[in-house]
Amino acid sequence: MKLRYLLLLAWLPACTDPATTASTAAPAADARFDHFKNQLLLELWRLEPDFALSQGFHKYDSLLVIPDAGQREREAAFVAAKQHSLAGFGLDSLSAGNQTDYRILQNELTARRWRADTLREWQWNPAAYNVGATVGELLNGRHHPLARRLRNISDRLALAPAYYAAARANLDNPTPEHTQLGIEQNKGGFDVLGAGLRDSVQSSSLTRAEQARLMERAGAARAAIEGYVEFLRRGVLAAGRARRSFRIGQALFDRKFALEIQSGYSAGQVLALAQQHKRDLLLDMSQRARRLWPRYRAGQPLPADTLVLIRQVIDKLTLKHPLRTGFVAAIKAQIPVLSRFVDAHQLLTQDPGKPLVVRETPLYMRGSGAGASVSAPGPYDKSADTFYNVEPLPADWPAARAESYLREYNDYTLQILNIHEAIPGHYTQLVYANRSPSLVKSVFGNGAMVEGWAVFSEKVMLDAGYGNNSDELWLLWDKWNLRSTLNAIADQRIQTQGAREADIVALLTREGFQEEAEARGKWHRATLSQVQLSSYFTGYTEITALRDEIRRREGAKFSVKKFNEQFLSYGSAPVPYIARLMR
Ligand code: ZN
Ligand code: ZN
């Protein structure tokens, strides 16, 4: 924690503007800062239209940015100018909310410079380039009428050949793993520009000439994508020009961890904490499994190996699961139960005016294998509904695959999943975040805080007696929590210590009780991303530590409800910033 703040302090301007330190001048400083923030975002949206689009800001939908050296210079100039402006504000003259925004922006600008100059993913990740993905979003979006969306797509596609020419020029010894990913994702992008687009164009109100021009541009864009995929396949992979290791190593990992997680802990501390937490969880699991053994394995001898003992009890518990056709209904039925429990146990105040809409995942979002997710309205579209997307099991899955999936989301784990995704997890946190009207916190929301809260909220519910304190639910919560703990361990062991696939699969299956398919999927994900897998455990641990600290200090006066509501009231800010405000 000390290191982080020392870094922040080092960025503070040497002298504070006397006009803004006087208390009467504070509102003026906040007004100036609000103006600065809005201006920064408007310039950023012009610079990065794809990012804007993902946040629901649609003014620049027609722009495709060519990722060349000129663009990198414009970005560097933007960051330098904003860092200079930021240094002109006295941190003490700002309101608590703006102080947090100041720190978030300062970190964001530093991170941008570091990513462009030091990490340089633009050189080694061919999957960073994909024209089709955003076109798919535009095509499926509902923010503009079809004709307008198609005109925007047409304008973008006109630049696709130049876009891929710049992408090729950027690449310099990429990793084989990211090259393979770039090939797969661009093939997906290629499909977006196929029959679906043509059907949309033909059913639209575009003039004949506009239709012809769009289809001509789509044809040229498809050729450019094909050329890029072919280049990656033959010119890079087959030619032996993808030799970089996907492991970023200790120094880059530590810095990326500091900039992205914005934790009070260092990466090294988190690894040590995760190892200890793994041991604690396994101890708790062995005690519960021993108690459950006579109920689920009556008459059978207790295995000498504790890990085998735990696994055999889990294998019995997961037999209780919804029917294949009843998966969506099972989730739907649980939401009101969770909501009532939160009210009855006064865990926090809920907002009945913003109900969560449970729906089957729309077709265009399906296929990722993610059973459930929350779609929240972007910061520019707060009044829209929040959806809890639940994907029905694909009809073409063989029985064995469906059974394995349903056992993973058994009756116990499904409740934990619903707490995590919905109430009082991600959905509840979003409702609170939207009340603290800060675009900066919404746009640059901290992943460790968001995921940490969702994991923390599971424990809040079980601690309050949800599930009647049963060993069954606690054992499967332990297993679930072990997964995020092992994510953090695997992330660092892979990225900084050279762990191989066999080591990681052994760790996850043996000590994490995961199926081999899940473990191999995790390995694959960990070769393509860095630090993100550490966010769940880090956020959870940090929020728990803050809660424990405040509970110790307040003693008998401590209120779970007050803590939860106050914690959520600052929006999706990094936990150490929230901790400062709560102390
Ligand atoms: Zn079954
Ligand atoms: Zn989550």
Side-chain angles (χ1 to χ4, degrees):
M1 190 160 298
K2 314 291 179 292
L3 180 65
R4 181 93 218 115
Y5 286 120
L6 283 179
L7 280 172
L8 285 169
L9 287 170
W11 275 96
L12 292 179
C15 59
T16 20
D17 180 351
T20 57
T21 46
S23 61
T24 48
D30 279 314
R32 270 202 309 133
F33 193 71
D34 287 343
H35 177 76
F36 164 75
K37 289 192 292 188
N38 288 332
Q39 203 54 41
L40 180 148
L41 285 173
L42 289 176
E43 286 175 43
L44 180 64
W45 300 147
R46 175 68 182 73
L47 214 49
E48 298 185 359
D50 287 11
F51 185 23
L53 192 150
S54 74
Q55 300 296 308
F57 187 88
H58 291 287
K59 186 176 171 190
Y60 300 118
D61 280 1
S62 66
L63 295 181
L64 180 69
V65 169
I66 310 298
D68 58 8
Q71 171 71 6
R72 287 193 290 282
E73 274 165 31
R74 281 187 289 279
E75 284 171 356
F78 166 80
V79 168
K82 296 308 165 193
Q83 283 178 327
H84 183 78
S85 305
L86 203 53
F89 288 96
L91 190 60
D92 292 340
S93 69
L94 300 173
S95 68
N98 269 339
Q99 288 191 16
T100 307
D101 282 2
Y102 180 108
R103 293 177 202 278
I104 290 172
L105 287 174
Q106 195 170 47
N107 183 79
E108 174 65 23
L109 294 169
T110 308
R112 279 172 176 268
R113 268 322 277 265
W114 180 80
R115 280 199 298 268
D117 300 344
T118 307
L119 186 64
R120 299 169 84 91
E121 193 166 346
W122 55 272
Q123 282 184 331
W124 54 259
N125 181 5
Y129 308 105
N130 188 347
V131 160
T134 314
V135 170
E137 273 182 59
L138 285 172
L139 204 54
N140 291 311
R142 297 283 172 268
H143 45 277
H144 291 318
L146 177 63
R148 181 156 171 205
R149 280 182 280 136
L150 289 171
R151 285 189 191 103
N152 288 337
I153 289 173
S154 186
D155 287 346
R156 277 177 170 256
L157 291 181
L159 298 178
Y163 174 96
Y164 281 107
R168 286 192 202 198
N170 286 345
L171 293 178
D172 178 20
N173 188 22
T175 84
E177 290 78 8
H178 292 91
T179 306
Q180 195 56 48
L181 182 69
I183 291 169
E184 283 158 26
Q185 293 193 338
N186 274 282
K187 281 200 286 198
F190 180 84
D191 292 341
V192 169
L193 305 187
L197 177 64
R198 191 177 56 239
D199 292 347
S200 294
V201 169
Q202 283 168 357
S203 70
S204 73
S205 60
L206 294 187
T207 65
R208 277 288 165 87
E210 281 178 318
Q211 291 191 6
R213 190 164 62 226
L214 203 172
M215 289 321 292
E216 189 187 297
R217 288 170 170 176
R222 278 163 70 94
I225 296 174
E226 252 176 342
Y228 183 61
V229 168
E230 206 45 30
F231 164 74
L232 294 179
R233 212 182 256 143
R234 288 169 189 273
V236 178
L237 273 186
R241 287 175 54 216
R243 295 177 318 275
R244 187 187 306 250
S245 168
F246 68 83
R247 303 175 209 274
I248 63 174
Q250 191 77 57
L252 289 178
F253 188 92
D254 287 352
R255 187 72 179 128
K256 192 166 196 261
F257 182 93
L259 290 168
E260 284 182 9
I261 305 274
Q262 301 178 67
S263 166
Y265 302 117
S266 69
Q269 285 171 320
V270 164
L271 181 57
L273 285 167
Q275 303 277 19
Q276 180 56 49
H277 190 59
K278 183 189 84 172
R279 287 192 286 272
D280 294 345
L281 287 171
L282 286 174
L283 179 64
D284 189 64
M285 292 175 90
S286 73
Q287 289 163 351
R288 294 185 190 280
R290 253 173 247 281
R291 279 202 295 271
L292 290 169
W293 187 266
R295 200 178 313 164
Y296 291 91
R297 296 273 184 187
Q300 296 175 31
L302 213 59
D305 183 334
T306 307
L307 295 175
V308 174
L309 166 77
I310 297 170
R311 161 80 78 169
Q312 290 192 0
V313 173
I314 287 174
D315 283 349
K316 284 286 184 186
L317 298 184
T318 58
L319 290 173
K320 273 181 78 178
H321 60 72
L323 290 174
R324 180 171 183 159
T325 49
F327 189 63
V328 178
I331 288 184
K332 222 173 210 166
Q334 264 177 27
I335 302 302
V337 177
L338 296 176
S339 180
R340 278 198 299 273
F341 186 91
V342 166
D343 281 344
H345 293 78
Q346 298 187 36
L347 298 181
L348 48 78
T349 307
Q350 300 181 82
D351 183 350
K354 300 257 177 202
L356 177 64
V357 184
V358 185
R359 65 172 180 188
E360 291 195 4
T361 309
L363 288 171
Y364 69 89
M365 289 170 67
R366 286 189 197 179
S368 67
S373 66
V374 169
S375 287
Y380 288 95
D381 194 15
K382 279 189 211 165
S383 60
D385 283 329
T386 301
F387 292 104
Y388 189 16
N389 306 307
V390 184
E391 192 162 334
L393 271 67
D396 60 354
W397 274 12
R401 184 171 179 192
E403 175 68 12
S404 154
Y405 186 84
L406 290 166
R407 286 186 67 165
E408 193 178 334
Y409 292 104
N410 57 78
D411 287 359
Y412 303 105
T413 306
L414 200 56
Q415 299 177 62
I416 301 163
L417 174 76
N418 285 325
I419 294 171
H420 178 106
E421 295 292 338
I423 296 171
H426 287 316
Y427 157 71
T428 304
Q429 192 261 319
L430 275 159
V431 173
Y432 271 83
N434 277 341
R435 275 197 223 145
S436 86
S438 159
L439 274 175
V440 166
K441 291 186 192 74
S442 301
V443 169
F444 304 115
N446 181 263
M449 183 275 178
V450 170
E451 286 305 341
W453 169 262
V455 178
F456 178 79
S457 77
E458 304 158 9
K459 186 86 181 344
V460 167
M461 290 286 274
L462 267 66
D463 281 342
Y466 180 82
N468 299 318
N469 228 358
S470 76
D471 279 326
E472 286 90 342
L473 189 60
W474 272 114
L475 181 60
L476 283 165
W477 180 80
D478 282 341
K479 177 178 186 280
W480 178 263
N481 194 255
L482 193 51
R483 181 158 83 176
S484 44
T485 308
L486 290 171
N487 281 348
I489 294 172
D491 188 24
Q492 294 206 40
R493 285 196 53 200
I494 293 169
Q495 291 295 331
T496 71
Q497 299 175 3
R500 293 160 309 142
E501 180 168 4
D503 307 330
I504 295 302
V505 171
L507 172 74
L508 300 183
T509 53
R510 199 174 140 70
E511 295 187 81
F513 314 100
Q514 297 180 10
E515 295 301 316
E516 185 172 328
E518 188 190 353
R520 293 208 185 273
K522 188 58 55 66
W523 161 264
H524 183 63
R525 180 172 157 194
T527 63
L528 297 171
S529 77
Q530 320 86 25
V531 170
Q532 197 275 335
L533 280 171
S534 297
S535 62
Y536 309 81
F537 174 77
T538 308
Y540 165 66
T541 304
E542 207 152 20
I543 298 170
T544 304
L546 175 65
R547 194 265 324 266
D548 291 348
E549 176 197 321
I550 292 181
R551 192 165 55 185
R552 262 196 312 275
R553 202 180 56 208
E554 296 188 348
K557 283 190 316 203
F558 178 78
S559 150
V560 172
K561 180 164 183 275
K562 191 173 145 241
F563 174 84
N564 290 339
E565 291 180 352
Q566 201 188 346
F567 180 83
L568 292 177
S569 70
Y570 303 105
S572 310
V575 182
Y577 302 177
I578 296 177
R580 275 194 162 205
L581 296 171
M582 287 183 75
R583 285 177 192 127

